[in-house]
Amino acid sequence: MTQPDSLTLYRRLLGYVKPHWRQFAVAVLGYAIYAASSTALAEMMKRLIDGIRDPDAAFRLYLPLFVIVMFAARGLGTFLGTYFMSGVARNVVHALRCNVFNHMLHLPGSFFDAHSSGHLISRVTYHVEQVTGAASNAITVILREGLFVIGLILYLLWTNWMLTLLFLAVTPLIGGVVRYASKRFREISRRIQNSMGDVTHVASEALTGYKVVRTHGAEDYEKRRFAAASAYNRDQSMKEALTKAVSTPVIQLSVAISLAALVWLAMAPELMEDMTPGEFVAFITAASLMAKPIKSLTDVNSVIQKGLAASDELFRLLEEPAEIDAGYRDPQSVRGEVRFEGVRFAYGSDQPEVLKGIELTVAPGEMIAIVGRSGSGKSTLVNLLPRFYRPTQGRVTLDGVPLDAYRLSPLRRQIALVSQQVTLFNTTVADNIAYGVPGADREAVAAAARAAYADDFIRRLPNGYDTVIGDNGVMLSGGQRQRLAIARAIFKDAPLLVLDEATSALDTESERYIQQALETVCRGRTTFVIAHRLSTIERADRILVMEQGEIVESGTHGELIERDGAYAALHRLQFQEVTA
Ligand code: ADP
Ligand code: MG
């Protein structure tokens, strides 16, 4: 993995600062005031020492006033700098976080297959916070202390340029230490951030799957797994602490040595001659004032490197190609004629083919049932319709137009999908049915629920349609969750309806009811039904039998029974199960 240089990263981050340049300018002004007033401290020392030998009345009044004005200015500078810089930083983080989240909503299915949700979640929580560090604390310190150091150096040059140049001879050494430390900080930060992803990942898996963990007595296993992820995080953090703990004193020591050399040189009789005692003290004061900002600057280096490592990660994610959405067609409504033309598909170039040359034409309004062993490619086939994945060969057309020619969102508007894994949101029943349609008509929602045989149980919920159903619908039974998902699909009222084992969690009786209801709902729509229980699909216009990525049989229930092939065999098997 190549590491982009800090400059490129900072330039990209600065792009986020741009819209807030006014706040930024105020903050810089504040820090300039701070730096100037702090530098004035050295000048004050000079006046104090030079003036103390014969103080006149003006001097007595002037010096205390100077102290007050200076500290007032410093306070104002600190306020302007701190407050406005936080504003800039928070805005940057907000924008970056939203960009990352928004981008994730448009990444293709293959991206989610390859990344754990724990790692993705830690991107918008942990990583983004790391960038805040770089954007706020670090820029604050760099501006405030950096300007202070510059102020001090200018003052030193003005007082005695020759001594100053000697003093500055130590800077290459400091630079070397900082550079080495930075590299190390960056590498370690990357590891820490990844390990935060692991921590989130393990925790969320073990917590959402708590029932499996407990029934398998896997608590100890999960504890160990979590402890390992957390320990790795701790070890890397300690390495970071070590680098920080070593680099800061080394830098301070170099500054101190150069300061000592300075004092020694400054006291050389030849040099002492042209300086007043005030000038001398001011010079040493200014030089020693340098120690604190330099320490802050080196301390903040770790924060900066953390931020850079995190922003690198985030920018990489932003560069992940989004789903291809190059189509231009934006149909209001389609008739629903679907064709698969020589469709082949594999989940990855290194993975086996899951669909092996599918040829299929579905007339508008036809009800197609797909049966076959699990793993035969049924879900994969229907997942091509909303273009969650694209065929590796061949093409799929809708109303005679290749799917690629449609814009994604209008294409997906044509399809109502109830998939194997029901997804419900932690909101009210009504909002779940009318998902994505704020302020939907209550009567329409209830009608959809009635069609899905969900109305009865919804009315029995504590708050009816306004009941909040918990994380992924924990308050509901499997069958109830499926009925809500079906109601959602019915509510969407799309010309294409895809039911992927949508009734598998229902008892035979409810399934029969829903089957009847669906027959009304399916009228006038092209419907794909994948069903496990064959009894529910007998009335389909056509039944397809899939085996290892191929359609091996196709026909009506009667035809297929008569043919006495794969379907008939499956049917016999289930019939025996029922009567046994
Ligand atoms: P079905 O729905 O008929 O049970 P699927 O279409 O879900 O079968 O799966 C077909 C094959 O594709 C299986 O062998 C499965 O392992 C594989 N598969 C399914 N989803 C993915 C995925 N996201 N990444 C890689 N392989 C997958
Ligand atoms: Mg499936």
Side-chain angles (χ1 to χ4, degrees):
M1 201 154 50
T2 54
Q3 286 207 6
D5 59 311
S6 322
L7 214 63
T8 322
L9 287 175
Y10 251 113
R11 201 170 298 147
R12 266 189 94 163
L13 272 178
L14 278 181
Y16 283 86
V17 174
K18 221 174 183 178
H20 312 286
W21 68 271
R22 282 191 200 83
Q23 284 187 58
F24 191 80
V26 175
V28 172
L29 177 72
Y31 290 132
I33 295 174
Y34 172 88
S37 48
S38 302
T39 312
L41 195 68
E43 177 67 12
M44 190 186 80
M45 290 301 276
K46 182 176 114 188
R47 308 245 164 141
L48 185 67
I49 289 177
D50 286 345
I52 217 151
R53 281 183 295 191
D54 66 307
D56 54 12
F59 177 76
R60 228 187 112 194
L61 187 65
Y62 163 80
L63 198 67
L65 271 181
F66 184 76
V67 172
I68 293 173
V69 169
M70 195 196 75
F71 274 94
R74 224 166 92 129
L76 179 70
T78 309
F79 167 77
L80 291 178
T82 314
Y83 182 74
F84 285 96
M85 194 49 78
S86 296
V88 174
R90 281 290 144 196
N91 276 312
V92 168
V93 167
H94 170 65
L96 190 61
R97 177 179 276 153
C98 290
N99 274 1
V100 168
F101 179 76
N102 294 352
H103 189 66
M104 287 201 283
L105 288 190
H106 293 284
L107 289 173
S110 54
F111 178 85
F112 292 93
D113 292 345
H115 294 81
S116 85
S117 62
H119 280 99
L120 295 179
I121 288 170
S122 103
R123 296 276 204 294
V124 283
T125 54
Y126 187 75
H127 283 63
V128 174
E129 278 308 318
Q130 301 301 300
V131 179
T132 337
S136 77
N137 301 354
I139 297 187
T140 303
V141 171
I142 289 175
L143 282 177
R144 194 179 62 202
E145 311 296 343
L147 287 173
F148 185 28
V149 169
I150 291 172
L152 286 174
I153 290 174
L154 289 177
Y155 181 77
L156 287 174
L157 282 170
W158 177 61
T159 317
N160 191 327
W161 64 268
M162 227 157 53
L163 278 182
T164 310
L165 291 183
L166 278 172
F167 180 64
L168 292 180
V170 75
T171 42
L173 177 65
I174 297 182
V177 176
V178 169
R179 187 182 302 235
Y180 172 76
S182 304
K183 236 188 173 149
R184 198 156 162 72
F185 280 137
R186 184 94 68 92
E187 179 50 37
I188 296 173
S189 304
R190 200 181 296 281
R191 287 187 223 150
I192 294 179
Q193 281 152 19
N194 260 328
S195 70
M196 274 316 286
D198 292 338
V199 169
T200 323
H201 168 68
V202 175
S204 76
E205 249 179 17
L207 297 179
T208 48
Y210 75 99
K211 285 178 188 156
V212 180
V213 172
R214 292 191 195 171
T215 49
H216 284 259
E219 290 94 339
D220 286 330
Y221 169 73
E222 289 297 337
K223 283 176 194 166
R224 276 197 304 277
R225 205 154 75 102
F226 187 79
S230 179
Y232 183 75
N233 180 276
R234 175 200 58 199
D235 296 344
Q236 296 307 320
S237 303
M238 283 318 292
K239 281 189 187 167
E240 182 192 72
L242 182 68
T243 313
K244 190 165 162 178
V246 171
S247 68
T248 307
V250 167
I251 289 169
Q252 289 219 284
L253 190 62
S254 356
V255 175
I257 290 173
S258 107
L259 202 63
L262 204 65
V263 173
W264 186 75
L265 278 170
M267 285 200 284
E270 315 83 80
L271 274 169
M272 285 284 265
E273 268 167 21
D274 350 317
M275 277 172 112
T276 66
E279 269 172 351
F280 177 76
V281 170
F283 190 88
I284 297 297
T285 307
S288 45
L289 276 178
M290 199 100 81
K292 186 195 153 258
I294 286 182
K295 176 182 168 356
S296 312
L297 283 172
T298 49
D299 274 349
V300 88
N301 191 27
S302 67
V303 181
I304 296 175
Q305 299 308 326
K306 260 189 242 180
L308 289 180
S311 50
D312 180 27
E313 198 76 26
L314 293 174
F315 290 144
R316 258 176 228 277
L317 193 139
L318 286 175
E319 273 158 22
E320 284 283 337
E323 284 183 296
I324 297 168
D325 190 5
Y328 51 91
R329 274 186 177 253
D330 188 350
Q332 277 314 301
S333 182
V334 296
R335 287 183 301 125
E337 186 214 42
V338 176
R339 280 174 75 114
F340 287 79
E341 300 173 0
V343 169
R344 291 176 171 274
F345 178 77
Y347 278 99
S349 47
D350 53 346
Q351 297 198 30
E353 263 193 340
V354 179
L355 297 178
K356 300 167 186 163
I358 302 287
E359 294 286 348
L360 174 67
T361 305
V362 183
E366 197 177 6
M367 179 175 177
I368 295 287
I370 309 175
V371 300
R373 271 197 217 103
S374 100
S376 55
K378 307 180 296 290
S379 299
T380 307
L381 183 75
V382 293
N383 274 337
L384 296 181
L385 286 174
R387 261 175 63 193
F388 292 144
Y389 298 94
R390 299 167 73 220
T392 30
Q393 255 183 58
R395 61 177 197 171
V396 184
T397 65
L398 176 60
D399 283 8
V401 177
L403 289 187
D404 280 346
Y406 289 98
R407 279 184 42 221
L408 274 181
S409 68
L411 169 68
R412 290 173 179 169
R413 225 172 23 232
Q414 312 296 330
I415 302 168
L417 171 74
V418 183
S419 62
Q420 249 162 325
Q421 281 113 12
V422 173
T423 303
L424 295 173
F425 299 87
N426 188 10
T427 162
T428 64
V429 170
D431 286 348
N432 264 293
I433 294 176
Y435 179 62
V437 187
D441 174 29
R442 257 315 149 85
E443 202 25 59
V445 171
R450 274 195 296 275
Y453 282 83
D455 188 60
D456 272 357
F457 86 80
I458 294 173
R459 283 186 194 287
R460 281 198 300 272
L461 290 173
N463 292 316
Y465 281 88
D466 294 314
T467 311
V468 175
I469 56 171
D471 206 2
N472 204 16
V474 280
M475 281 178 51
L476 305 174
S477 76
Q480 291 171 334
R481 288 153 42 89
Q482 280 198 334
R483 276 181 273 179
L484 274 196
I486 293 170
R488 180 193 288 159
I490 293 173
F491 179 86
K492 191 175 176 188
D493 190 24
L496 257 70
L497 180 62
V498 179
L499 303 168
D500 187 351
E501 311 213 357
T503 51
S504 58
L506 300 183
D507 52 280
T508 321
E509 198 189 334
S510 328
E511 192 175 19
R512 277 272 150 76
Y513 279 130
I514 290 210
Q515 213 53 49
Q516 282 166 17
L518 282 179
E519 269 163 39
T520 338
V521 173
C522 294
R523 221 162 276 146
R525 296 171 214 276
T526 310
T527 311
F528 291 82
V529 185
I530 298 174
H532 183 65
R533 246 174 304 202
L534 301 185
S535 55
T536 58
I537 51 153
E538 283 173 10
R539 267 177 288 200
D541 296 316
R542 197 157 24 132
I543 297 170
L544 311 175
V545 184
M546 280 190 77
E547 237 167 57
Q548 298 189 9
E550 284 172 294
I551 298 174
V552 293
E553 267 180 31
S554 134
T556 62
H557 173 73
E559 286 164 10
L560 291 179
I561 289 290
E562 202 157 303
R563 185 193 283 186
D564 200 19
Y567 179 79
L570 278 173
H571 196 265
R572 263 198 306 278
L573 214 63
Q574 287 206 349
F575 188 66
Q576 276 165 10
E577 272 171 26
V578 175
T579 50

